[in-house]
Amino acid sequence: MSLDKSRELYKKARTLLPGGVSSPVRAIKPYPFYTESASGSKIKDIDGNEYIDYCLAYGPNILGHAHPRLKAAIIAQLEKGWLYGTPTELEVRLAERIAGIYPSIDMLRFVSTGTEATMSALRAARGFTGRNKFIKIEGGFHGAHDAALVQAGSGATTLGKPDSLGVPADFTKHTLQVPFNDIEALTDVIERNKEDVAALIMEPVLGNIGPVLPEGDYLRDVREVTEENDVVLIFDEVITGFRLAMGGAQEYYGVTPDMTTLGKIIGGGLPIGVFGGKREIIEMIAPSGGVYQAGTFSGSPASVATGLAVLDVLEEEDVHRRLNATGDMFRGRLMEIVADLGLDYSVCGISSMFKIFFGDRPLNYSEVLRCDKEGYLGFFFRMLDSGVFLPPSQFETNFLSTAHSEEDIERTLAAYEANLK
Ligand code: PLP
């Protein structure tokens, strides 16, 4: 496999873009492949190599790349113009659909990224409660805004820098941390900060160091403790929303938070974020309330039109039932491969999310960090050489899409077997 053009382009890119990329997770060492195009389950680089893609843009492309119905929706919207600076019927329609699917959402606001969604959700929760502190889960990633960049997963963990330079301690002094799957730790932190905690924000399934799943009744217990203490519970479902089920992890586990953040899938590959929740909280947002939030691209017509098309396809094609079954089968086969080879690795995941951890099945951030990160990177390159593109980090989730054929999956499993050997 030749990557000559990517290697050359990387040299130039590094002089123009920090690390040669537009987002840190893309900076594969010694150099990333630069993409030329993508369609269905395949992504093609500028050297002409084609890979079966399980990164899928880090989650949005549940229907694969360039799905024809999403493409048609985008083109139809482009014909009518793509940014107005005025409200549209499209955003009202999409808001109605989302609110109909997520019982935790009475009202919502559209933004352009998941980062904006969680940042604004926290502001709303603080405005609503009049309290300053919030709790996050160690290794949880809620985008790259100041208050959330504390022991953050995703690229921050991969780079070994889960706390960022340039974030004054004053900006994170209200951010409290607890380990995942530890209800005692959460109860204790809430007890000790009783009058000060506005919200708990959490990924119900940790997707940015994982997938790491909630154990037993953990999510129900979280709901109970937060409710008893008037702490606003925010489920960050930027990854799990429309992935585990139409109604995300909250539908899958039957636990309803006070607020929800969404992104990725609901834009069908175009930029989007959503934060929503109980009416009395979201009514706090300007112009109806005093919590300021605004954006030139918020509710972007092309993103919203694509979101409506995504929902149509997900509903009409019974995607979650089919894809979750594929996920179960795929993980089962991977477990057999790992067992047959006598490896003490663990296959983790849920729904259409999966990962092999080079170590024991982790329950939280500190356990994930014990996995063999370097070994995993070597494995990533061997898989790439076999024509399979996985997210390069031990700390990122792999995704399946409806575009993956049986043949793709058989080829992928054969590549896993050969390269794990
Ligand atoms: N929240 C979660 C759970 C995420 O996984 C991400 C991104 O990966 C974000 C928030 C931030 O979303 P965005 O990258 O669209 O800003």
Side-chain angles (χ1 to χ4, degrees):
M1 183 178 73
S2 155
L3 287 172
D4 292 349
K5 284 189 185 163
S6 281
R7 195 180 52 237
E8 282 311 303
L9 187 57
Y10 180 63
K11 281 187 199 153
K12 185 171 182 182
R14 274 175 48 197
T15 68
L16 296 163
L17 308 167
V21 291
S22 296
S23 189
V25 289
R26 301 177 198 168
I28 304 166
K29 286 194 170 102
Y31 49 88
F33 70 78
Y34 284 77
T35 298
E36 193 265 325
S37 64
S39 177
S41 62
K42 309 289 189 328
I43 188 162
K44 207 185 242 182
D45 70 22
I46 56 173
D47 287 283
N49 304 299
E50 189 178 78
Y51 313 96
I52 308 171
D53 185 6
Y54 294 93
C55 180
L56 295 167
Y58 291 90
N61 294 333
I62 193 170
L63 304 176
H65 292 279
H67 188 282
R69 284 182 63 187
L70 306 196
K71 196 156 127 185
I74 295 169
I75 292 170
Q77 186 55 45
L78 294 187
E79 294 293 341
K80 298 188 211 166
W82 48 88
L83 192 63
Y84 307 136
T86 66
T88 63
E89 187 186 340
L90 289 170
E91 65 195 356
V92 182
R93 279 174 43 209
L94 186 57
E96 191 176 27
R97 297 269 299 266
I98 295 173
I101 295 167
Y102 286 78
S104 63
I105 298 182
D106 298 327
M107 296 181 81
L108 60 86
R109 170 148 295 170
F110 290 110
V111 290
S112 301
T113 62
T115 297
E116 265 185 286
T118 63
M119 186 176 72
S120 310
L122 286 168
R123 190 179 300 152
R126 284 166 155 165
F128 178 71
T129 57
R131 301 171 180 172
N132 286 333
K133 293 189 191 302
F134 73 90
I135 304 171
K136 73 177 279 294
I137 303 289
E138 291 167 8
F141 182 66
H142 306 291
H145 58 93
D146 288 352
L149 276 180
V150 183
Q151 293 201 20
S154 190
T157 291
T158 304
L159 297 174
K161 296 194 172 92
D163 299 322
S164 173
L165 293 177
V167 177
D170 269 2
F171 290 17
T172 53
K173 71 179 183 198
H174 298 303
T175 308
L176 308 171
Q177 301 273 339
V178 290
F180 196 55
N181 277 322
D182 187 341
I183 197 69
E184 276 83 36
L186 175 66
T187 311
D188 186 50
V189 165
I190 292 178
E191 285 287 318
R192 281 192 286 114
N193 296 275
K194 211 157 176 81
E195 300 306 315
D196 301 324
V197 180
L200 164 65
I201 186 165
M202 65 185 297
E203 299 173 77
V205 170
L206 294 183
N208 286 283
I209 53 162
V212 176
L213 307 186
E215 288 284 295
D217 281 338
Y218 176 63
L219 292 179
R220 278 178 209 285
D221 293 344
V222 164
R223 176 65 286 190
E224 214 174 285
V225 174
T226 48
E227 199 153 21
E228 277 167 7
N229 290 281
D230 292 326
V231 170
V232 174
L233 175 59
I234 307 172
F235 273 2
D236 181 356
E237 298 231 39
V238 166
I239 287 182
T240 50
F242 306 101
R243 168 70 62 183
L244 269 56
M246 282 301 271
Q250 52 198 272
E251 178 185 321
Y252 193 97
Y253 289 105
V255 176
T256 307
D258 302 304
M259 296 183 76
T260 298
T261 54
L262 299 164
K264 298 203 190 250
I265 289 176
I266 194 58
L270 268 57
I272 202 164
V274 174
F275 67 99
K278 290 186 168 156
R279 187 169 303 279
E280 60 267 32
I281 303 176
I282 306 298
E283 287 271 27
M284 298 287 295
I285 304 293
S288 56
V291 175
Y292 198 71
Q293 197 289 321
T296 301
F297 301 104
S298 297
S300 166
S303 300
V304 171
T306 314
L308 284 164
V310 170
L311 290 186
D312 288 344
V313 178
L314 290 178
E315 280 173 1
E316 286 166 28
E317 299 184 6
D318 196 13
V319 162
H320 295 102
R321 196 183 51 77
R322 290 192 297 121
L323 204 50
N324 290 0
T326 308
D328 288 341
M329 179 277 288
F330 190 81
R331 283 186 298 276
R333 296 270 305 273
L334 276 182
M335 282 176 199
E336 281 168 22
I337 291 171
V338 168
D340 287 350
L341 293 173
L343 297 167
D344 48 5
Y345 293 169
S346 49
V347 177
C348 296
I350 186 169
S351 168
S352 48
M353 297 163 68
F354 69 96
K355 187 88 189 178
I356 292 195
F357 283 104
F358 281 21
D360 292 337
R361 186 171 75 86
L363 294 182
N364 58 36
Y365 186 54
S366 56
E367 292 183 11
V368 164
L369 293 183
R370 282 187 216 134
C371 294
D372 179 5
K373 174 175 150 181
E374 296 308 322
Y376 190 85
L377 189 63
F379 174 71
F380 159 80
F381 277 112
R382 290 195 290 281
M383 290 295 278
L384 200 64
D385 218 31
S386 304
V388 177
F389 175 44
L390 308 172
S393 168
Q394 172 73 106
F395 311 120
E396 297 281 354
T397 295
N398 306 343
F399 299 99
L400 287 159
S401 80
T402 54
H404 288 95
S405 65
E406 263 181 59
E407 192 200 330
D408 289 334
I409 286 177
E410 290 307 325
R411 264 184 59 197
T412 304
L413 288 167
Y416 264 102
E417 186 165 15
N419 292 310
L420 283 171
K421 252 180 205 160

